[in-house]
Amino acid sequence: MRFMMLMIPGGYATAAPDARPEAEAVATMMKYNEELKRAGVLLTLDGLHPPSTGARVSFKGGKPAVTDGPFADVKEVLGGYWMIDVRSREEAIEWARRCPAGENDTIEVRRVLEMSDFPEDVQKAAEGFGALKG
């Protein structure tokens, strides 16, 4: 089963565009990432630039509208993610618990939808689109 572990760092919603973690924090996190890799569960991972450098596209009334970051009234934003392949939700949660996250950080653990999770008619409609196979 694939799970995404979504890092929600405290205070990142208002981080400056050039905000970067300290070298010591990165070194600690790399040790954790290496554990995931050695265990054979890590599929991919990425960190994200602060929301102040991003944009959101909303579709009110069916028309796209772009809002540049930072975003008003946002309390939690993604700082990065890990995609892991484990046997169960419990195993995914155990990996999240082992992360050397900061006191104000949160990791949200979410299972990835696989094509086999959908009814046959949905699978047929998506047939041939390789990115949805699983």
Side-chain angles (χ1 to χ4, degrees):
M1 288 178 220
R2 291 182 305 153
F3 284 83
M4 247 185 150
M5 298 191 311
L6 306 164
M7 173 57 81
I8 304 168
Y12 209 50
T14 57
D18 60 349
R20 300 292 182 270
E22 300 289 327
E24 185 178 322
V26 171
T28 301
M29 191 62 73
M30 290 304 113
K31 288 177 186 173
Y32 172 71
N33 294 339
E34 187 58 36
E35 277 185 66
L36 290 165
K37 185 178 174 184
R38 270 195 314 264
V41 300
L42 182 64
L43 298 174
T44 189
L45 59 89
D46 284 298
L48 302 173
H49 283 266
S52 55
T53 66
R56 289 189 171 176
V57 181
S58 57
F59 296 88
K60 291 182 180 148
K63 297 184 187 223
V66 177
T67 304
D68 288 325
F71 311 111
D73 302 324
V74 172
K75 293 180 178 85
E76 296 179 340
V77 297
L78 293 180
Y81 67 91
W82 298 264
M83 181 72 75
I84 60 174
D85 190 1
V86 294
R87 293 179 299 273
S88 66
R89 177 179 180 269
E90 292 73 26
E91 185 179 355
I93 291 169
E94 186 53 38
W95 277 111
R97 291 172 58 117
R98 293 169 66 177
C99 181
E103 179 176 316
N104 296 316
D105 298 341
T106 300
I107 296 177
E108 183 176 331
V109 177
R110 305 265 307 271
R111 186 168 174 201
V112 176
L113 280 168
E114 303 289 352
M115 190 49 61
S116 59
D117 294 327
F118 291 98
E120 192 175 312
D121 63 331
V122 173
Q123 292 183 37
K124 182 99 172 127
E127 200 169 88
F129 190 69
L132 294 177
K133 292 186 179 187

